[in-house]
């Protein structure tokens, strides 16, 4: 194996407030650690990614990575009493794979870019230890015995991760390391190895305090899309209507090619609209006898599948049903549950409400039911 990556995630993250350690807190809807792993997996030359976690965080880890289907993500190793011991454990776990080079990355740097990773990997062509770093711009003062002394900032660097190493060299260095090293460059230096510096990035900051989570959230360009849907079906002889998959006894039915679930059609069109994926009629032509009498759940399920294919998640659905009768409110909760189940989202992300049209127009004349819907989708 040429290149592996160890992600150090065993810390307790006590400086970032919250009930979970910082690497398991959500950043734009996803655990920080999941974003960090994805960022490293984005570099295709990395053949294996191994996280070092605290044994007591195993359940949180499993939940954070459950959506990741990538064979390169290895089962986690468990951390030790210090960061250095944790990294050592991670490196030892890679021994059977014997990578030529290894990147060691902080779990709390989820915004690392492929460009920074590439600079470190390239640096390893000429050096055994590579550190991405940023020159210090602020004037730095040392408050010592004799008062303040300005330090020559031209000689100062702020180190980041991933730090890159020849695997055999950093493993040997960790075996002998003093366990107070705060990063792996320090371990390499203790063992007498030269270090090459490549450019880091201000975006690759380490989430340490709660404000950092807010800053990171702001810098993630969220892919948010919205769509609208509208549908009408006329009443016809019958004894029930189907709305959002729920059968409601009524003096009439709704006429249509499928089960005429006007609300589900509007919702489906809203989701398709957010995907810019046409409309329900294009996916399920009324001319096709296959869909005659079909339950409209099939249509919404198709739209949900398309979301999955396009790496979008339904964040919210809102549907308004317009009719004089039947009464919607007694069934609204059941309708919301039905839609939430089909879309596999939480109940509080689905809204179903109703209004009359004050006796005006076709809905006012009780000729049928209209439904409007809005869908909000976010990128994964
Ligand atoms: Mg329809």
């Amino acid at each position: 194996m040429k290149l592996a990556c160890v992600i150090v995630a065993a810390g307790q993250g006590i400086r970032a407030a919250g009930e979970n350690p910082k690497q398991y807190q959500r950043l734009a809807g996803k655990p920080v650690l999941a974003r960090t792993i994805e960022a490293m997996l984005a570099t295709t030359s990395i053949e294996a990614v191994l996280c070092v976690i605290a044994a007591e965080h195993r359940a949180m880890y499993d939940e954070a990575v459950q959506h990741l289907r990538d064979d390169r993500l290895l089962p986690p190793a468990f951390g030790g009493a210090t960061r250095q011991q944790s990294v050592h454990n991670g490196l030892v776990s890679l021994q059977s794979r014997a990578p030529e080079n290894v990147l060691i990355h902080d779990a709390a740097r989820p915004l690392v870019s492929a460009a920074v990773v590439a600079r470190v990997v390239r640096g390893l062509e000429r050096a055994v230890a590579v550190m991405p770093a940023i020159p210090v711009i602020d004037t730095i003062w040392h408050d010592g015995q004799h008062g303040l002394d300005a330090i020559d900032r031209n000689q100062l660097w702020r180190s980041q991760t991933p730090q890159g190493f020849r695997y055999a060299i950093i493993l040997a260095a960790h075996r002998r390391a003093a366990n107070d090293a705060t990063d792996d460059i320090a371990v390499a230096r203790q063992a007498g190895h030269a270090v090459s510096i490549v450019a880091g990035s201000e975006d690759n900051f380490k989430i340490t305090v709660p404000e950092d989570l807010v800053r990171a959230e702001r810098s993630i360009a969220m892919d948010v899309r919205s769509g609208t849907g509208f549908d009408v079906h006329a009443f016809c002889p019958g004894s029930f209507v189907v709305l959002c998959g729920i059968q409601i006894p009524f003096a009439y039915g709704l006429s249509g090619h499928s089960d005429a679930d006007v609300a589900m059609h509007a919702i489906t069109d809203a989701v398709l609209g957010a995907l810019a994926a046409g409309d329900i009629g294009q996916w399920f032509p009324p001319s096709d006898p296959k869909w005659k009498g079909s339950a409209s759940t099939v249509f919404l399920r198709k739209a949900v599948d398309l979301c999955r294919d396009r790496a979008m998640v339904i964040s919210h659905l809102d549907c308004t049903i317009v009719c004089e009768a039947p009464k919607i409110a007694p069934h609204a909760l059941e309708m919301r549950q039905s839609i939430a189940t089909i879309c596999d989202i939480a109940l509080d992300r689905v809204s179903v409400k109703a209004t009359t049209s004050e006796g005006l127009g076709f809905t006012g004349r009780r000729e049928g039911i209209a439904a409007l819907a809005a869908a909000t989708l976010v990128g994964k």
Side-chain angles (χ1 to χ4, degrees), residues 231-233 260-262 265 280:
D231 198 24
V232 171
H233 281 264
D261 188 335
V262 59
H265 294 179
I280 206 168

Side-chain angles (χ1 to χ4, degrees), residues 132-154:
I134 298 178
V136 170
I137 292 162
D138 301 321
T139 301
I140 304 286
W141 291 91
H142 177 245
D143 188 6
Q145 254 180 333
H146 308 291
L148 288 178
D149 286 311
I151 293 175
D152 181 3
R153 65 187 173 195
N154 293 321

Side-chain angles (χ1 to χ4, degrees), residues 40-50 70-74:
M40 298 313 287
L41 288 173
T43 294
T44 52
S45 63
I46 295 176
E47 294 165 75
V49 172
L50 179 137
D70 194 314
D71 294 341
R72 293 177 295 158
L73 180 62
L74 306 180

Side-chain angles (χ1 to χ4, degrees), residues 230-233 255-266 269 280 296 299:
F230 175 73
D231 198 24
V232 171
H233 281 264
S255 94
H257 189 66
S258 63
D259 62 4
D261 188 335
V262 59
M264 197 162 324
H265 294 179
D269 260 355
I280 206 168
S296 297
F299 309 155

Side-chain angles (χ1 to χ4, degrees), residues 18-344:
E19 30 191 280
N20 294 335
K22 63 190 172 188
Q23 63 272 34
Y24 296 105
Q25 288 186 31
R26 287 189 174 264
L27 170 58
K30 199 185 277 192
V32 169
L33 179 57
R35 290 190 178 276
T36 307
I37 295 170
E38 284 175 7
M40 298 313 287
L41 288 173
T43 294
T44 52
S45 63
I46 295 176
E47 294 165 75
V49 172
L50 179 137
C51 294
V52 186
I53 65 169
E56 65 268 28
H57 296 162
R58 182 63 198 253
M60 279 192 285
Y61 173 82
D62 288 342
E63 200 194 323
V65 303
Q66 63 180 354
H67 68 288
L68 292 170
R69 312 236 180 280
D70 194 314
D71 294 341
R72 293 177 295 158
L73 180 62
L74 306 180
F78 295 117
T82 65
R83 183 189 185 283
Q84 184 272 322
Q85 286 169 8
S86 294
V87 174
H88 187 200
N89 291 355
L91 292 172
V92 167
S93 299
L94 286 173
Q95 235 166 347
S96 65
R97 294 166 199 268
E100 185 184 330
N101 292 322
V102 64
L103 305 180
I104 303 173
H105 187 55
D106 293 328
R109 295 185 193 269
L111 302 182
V112 61
S113 66
V116 169
V117 176
R119 286 198 283 271
V120 175
V121 172
R122 249 193 335 269
L124 284 171
E125 291 168 10
R126 313 175 302 276
V128 299
V130 179
M131 164 174 80
I134 298 178
V136 170
I137 292 162
D138 301 321
T139 301
I140 304 286
W141 291 91
H142 177 245
D143 188 6
Q145 254 180 333
H146 308 291
L148 288 178
D149 286 311
I151 293 175
D152 181 3
R153 65 187 173 195
N154 293 321
Q155 297 175 359
L156 295 180
W157 294 90
R158 288 154 52 207
S159 81
Q160 298 187 329
T161 70
Q163 297 172 347
F165 304 92
R166 208 68 81 226
Y167 173 75
I169 281 175
I170 195 66
L171 176 60
H174 265 281
R175 280 213 182 96
R176 296 188 302 269
N179 62 22
D180 59 351
T182 56
D183 73 0
D184 303 286
I185 289 297
V187 173
R189 291 294 300 143
Q190 281 171 8
H193 298 294
V195 172
S196 167
I197 297 176
V198 297
S201 162
E202 289 290 354
D203 295 333
N204 183 26
F205 63 90
K206 186 172 182 175
I207 294 175
T208 309
V209 294
E211 294 72 40
D212 295 334
L213 268 174
V214 177
R215 179 182 167 197
E217 196 126 333
R218 270 196 213 115
S219 73
I220 292 175
M222 290 261 288
D223 188 0
V224 180
R225 306 181 195 189
S226 58
T228 63
F230 175 73
D231 198 24
V232 171
H233 281 264
F235 287 130
C236 65
S239 57
F240 64 87
V241 297
V242 179
L243 294 171
C244 296
I246 305 301
Q247 242 188 54
I248 300 169
F250 190 53
Y252 302 94
L254 284 171
S255 94
H257 189 66
S258 63
D259 62 4
D261 188 335
V262 59
M264 197 162 324
H265 294 179
I267 291 169
T268 304
D269 260 355
V271 174
L272 291 174
L275 293 171
D279 59 43
I280 206 168
Q282 281 168 251
W283 288 95
F284 302 95
S287 54
D288 189 338
K290 197 158 71 173
W291 311 117
K292 184 153 175 58
S294 171
S296 297
T297 47
V298 176
F299 309 155
L300 184 54
R301 277 206 189 97
K302 175 69 190 180
V304 172
D305 286 347
L306 287 173
C307 290
R308 205 162 293 146
D309 293 348
R310 296 173 187 202
M312 299 298 291
V313 173
I314 298 174
S315 173
H316 190 258
L317 296 169
D318 182 23
C319 178
T320 303
I321 299 168
V322 186
C323 59
E324 302 292 324
K327 285 220 174 308
I328 302 302
H331 308 283
L333 177 61
E334 213 184 332
M335 291 182 191
R336 291 171 58 210
Q337 280 163 341
S338 161
I339 298 294
T341 302
I342 294 167
C343 297
D344 195 21

